[in-house]
Amino acid sequence: MSFIDLSKNEVQCKIVFYGPGRGGKTTNLLYLHQAMTDSVRGKMVTIDTKGDRTLFFDFLPLALGQIQGLSIKIQLYTVPGQVMYNATRKLVLKGVDGIVFVADSLKVQKEKNVESLENLRQNLAEDNVDINEIPLVLQYNKRDLGGSNIPILSVEEMQEDMNKELQVPWFSGSALKGDGVFETLREISKVTVKYVSRKLLSR
Amino acid sequence: MDLVLSKESIDNIISALDEDVLRAGADCVLLVDRSGNLIVNRGDPANLDVVALAALSAANFGATAEIAKLIGEDDFALLFHKGKNENIHFTKVGKGFILITLFGKDVSLGLIRLNTARVTDTLIPILGGEL
C-alpha cells in the first residue's frame, strides 16, 4: 500500500525483491546500500539470524528525489527464498507496490525459478493482486558465471521459462559485481511510481 | 488500498497524538501502516531510526498475528515490550494501522494503555473509518 502525505508532498512505495533461495536478493540490496550516498539511502536493516540466509527480511529505505514536486521515498524489502518460509513471504508482501523477481541463472535452479514465480503469483492472488497488473521487473542474476565451468541457463531459456506470458521488463545482472542492479532499480521505481500515480488519478 | 492524507487530516492526527499520548508522558509516538509505511511521528525521536522502527514494527505485528492464529485468535490488539529504561507499546488502530508508543520507566503502563485506547477512537475516522 502506497502512502501519500500531502502535508509533506511525499509518496512512499514498497518494493519487494522476490525469488528463489540463494538467488541474490539480499546481495542486490547490499550492493545498492554500498553504492549509494548517505543523502539517498537510509539505514539498511537486516534481521540478525544465524547463517547467511534471510529468515525474515532485509529492509533498505531510499529517497529518490522529486517528480512534479512530490518527493519519492521507496522502501526495499527482500523475502526469504526458501520454500518453507511462505508465511513470512506473505507477510512481507503485504501492501506491496512493485516487485523485482531475482531469478538465478544457475542451470540447477531452473525449476526453483519457475516454482518461486508461481508461488509469487499465488501469494499475490490470495491478497487479490493480479501478477499481470502489479509492476514487476525480472532480473536474471549471476550472469557473471557465464564462461566459468558452472553450467548456466541462457537468457533465451530464462525468458521462455518465466517471461513468455508476463512480458515484463527484464535485466541481466550480477548483484555481486553490481551489473544491472541500478538498471533494475531504475526500471522498477519508474513503473511503480507511474502505477501508484495512475491509481491516484483514478480515485 | 492506497492511503492519501490531506494536510488537514495529518494536522488532526498530530494534535490527537500530542494531546492524548505525549501529554501522558510518552517520549515518542508513531503511527504506521501494517505494510510498514511511517505516517506520522511525534515527540523526541533523537537518534531513533523511525523508518526502520516502522518497518520492523509492522513485521513484528504481522509475526505475532500468526502466533495469534495458532492459538485460535485473529490477532492481538496490543503488544508491549519492556526494556531496562525504555518501553515500547503497540496498539492496533483499525485493521490497517499500528500506533507505537515509546515511554520511560517512570511512566505508568496503565496510563499509556488508557490514552492510546482513547486516541485510537479518534484516529479511526480520520484514517478512513476502517474498523
Side-chain angles (χ1 to χ4, degrees):
Chain A
M1 177 175 99
S2 61
F3 165 55
I4 293 104
D5 180 343
L6 293 173
S7 76
K8 288 194 228 157
N9 281 336
E10 188 179 282
V11 185
Q12 290 181 34
C13 310
K14 176 172 183 175
I15 292 176
V16 173
F17 282 65
Y18 209 93
R22 296 268 165 115
K25 301 172 288 296
T26 301
T27 314
N28 261 276
L29 252 65
L30 281 172
Y31 182 81
L32 288 168
H33 183 254
Q34 280 160 11
M36 283 183 164
T37 59
D38 283 345
S39 60
V40 176
R41 67 173 186 202
K43 200 172 148 200
M44 179 156 172
V45 176
T46 302
I47 297 184
D48 192 23
T49 44
K50 286 196 172 130
D52 59 353
R53 293 183 167 198
T54 305
L55 285 191
F56 205 160
F57 63 86
D58 308 304
F59 169 74
L60 176 63
L62 300 174
L64 294 186
Q66 292 206 333
I67 298 177
Q68 295 192 333
L70 278 180
S71 1
I72 311 293
K73 296 226 162 147
I74 286 200
Q75 306 187 334
L76 305 179
Y77 288 77
T78 63
V79 296
Q82 274 69 33
V83 176
M84 62 199 251
Y85 298 131
N86 200 36
T88 316
R89 273 195 294 281
K90 283 191 206 168
L91 210 64
V92 179
L93 269 184
K94 201 174 168 62
V96 63
D97 299 301
I99 298 161
V100 173
F101 185 87
V102 182
D104 195 330
S105 295
L106 292 182
K107 203 153 205 157
V108 291
Q109 293 290 76
K110 183 178 162 78
E111 278 171 20
K112 290 267 172 22
N113 288 331
V114 178
E115 272 172 25
S116 176
L117 191 61
E118 186 48 37
N119 172 256
L120 171 65
R121 184 194 303 275
Q122 281 172 8
N123 283 343
L124 288 173
E126 277 179 32
D127 236 358
N128 295 321
V129 179
D130 182 349
I131 197 170
N132 297 301
E133 300 279 321
I134 192 161
L136 173 67
V137 170
L138 301 183
Q139 183 190 78
Y140 302 143
N141 192 22
K142 307 191 188 174
R143 298 312 301 171
D144 54 315
L145 291 177
S148 72
N149 54 7
I150 303 168
I152 66 166
L153 298 159
S154 68
V155 168
E156 292 73 30
E157 212 176 339
M158 296 183 86
Q159 281 281 82
E160 177 71 22
D161 283 351
M162 286 169 278
N163 207 9
K164 201 175 161 191
E165 284 169 23
L166 288 170
Q167 297 285 333
V168 293
W170 61 274
F171 297 89
S172 291
S174 162
L176 207 56
K177 296 186 173 167
D179 302 340
V181 174
F182 273 102
E183 289 79 355
T184 310
L185 177 70
R186 196 173 301 130
E187 183 64 25
I188 192 63
S189 310
K190 196 177 81 187
V191 287
T192 305
V193 170
K194 245 191 210 167
Y195 172 73
V196 167
S197 45
R198 203 171 48 229
K199 274 203 295 185
L200 267 180
L201 290 174
S202 65
R203 281 166 77 99
Chain B
M1 189 196 83
D2 299 288
L3 176 71
V4 183
L5 288 178
S6 65
K7 187 175 182 314
E8 191 193 351
S9 305
I10 296 271
D11 288 344
N12 288 339
I13 294 172
I14 288 174
S15 62
L17 295 182
D18 286 0
E19 219 161 276
D20 277 334
V21 190
L22 290 184
R23 266 181 53 191
D27 297 327
C28 178
V29 56
L30 286 81
L31 180 68
V32 308
D33 72 17
R34 288 184 79 163
S35 53
N37 289 312
L38 174 64
I39 294 166
V40 166
N41 71 286
R42 301 294 293 163
D44 182 20
N47 301 323
L48 178 68
D49 186 343
V50 285
V51 176
L53 180 61
L56 289 168
S57 301
N60 185 22
F61 227 83
T64 46
E66 293 302 316
I67 298 177
K69 285 190 187 110
L70 291 177
I71 61 161
E73 290 285 328
D74 281 342
D75 55 12
F76 296 122
L78 62 87
L79 306 174
F80 171 55
H81 298 319
K82 185 166 168 48
K84 263 188 205 144
N85 296 308
E86 199 70 15
N87 308 305
I88 189 159
H89 182 272
F90 305 86
T91 321
K92 193 172 92 160
V93 180
K95 273 185 187 153
F97 303 91
I98 306 161
L99 188 70
I100 306 165
T101 312
L102 274 79
F103 60 101
K105 56 182 176 187
D106 301 329
V107 180
S108 123
L109 171 62
L111 188 62
I112 295 290
R113 282 183 62 174
L114 191 71
N115 286 35
T116 51
R118 188 188 313 149
V119 82
T120 300
D121 295 338
T122 317
L123 293 178
I124 288 173
I126 305 176
L127 294 168
E130 195 193 6
L131 284 167

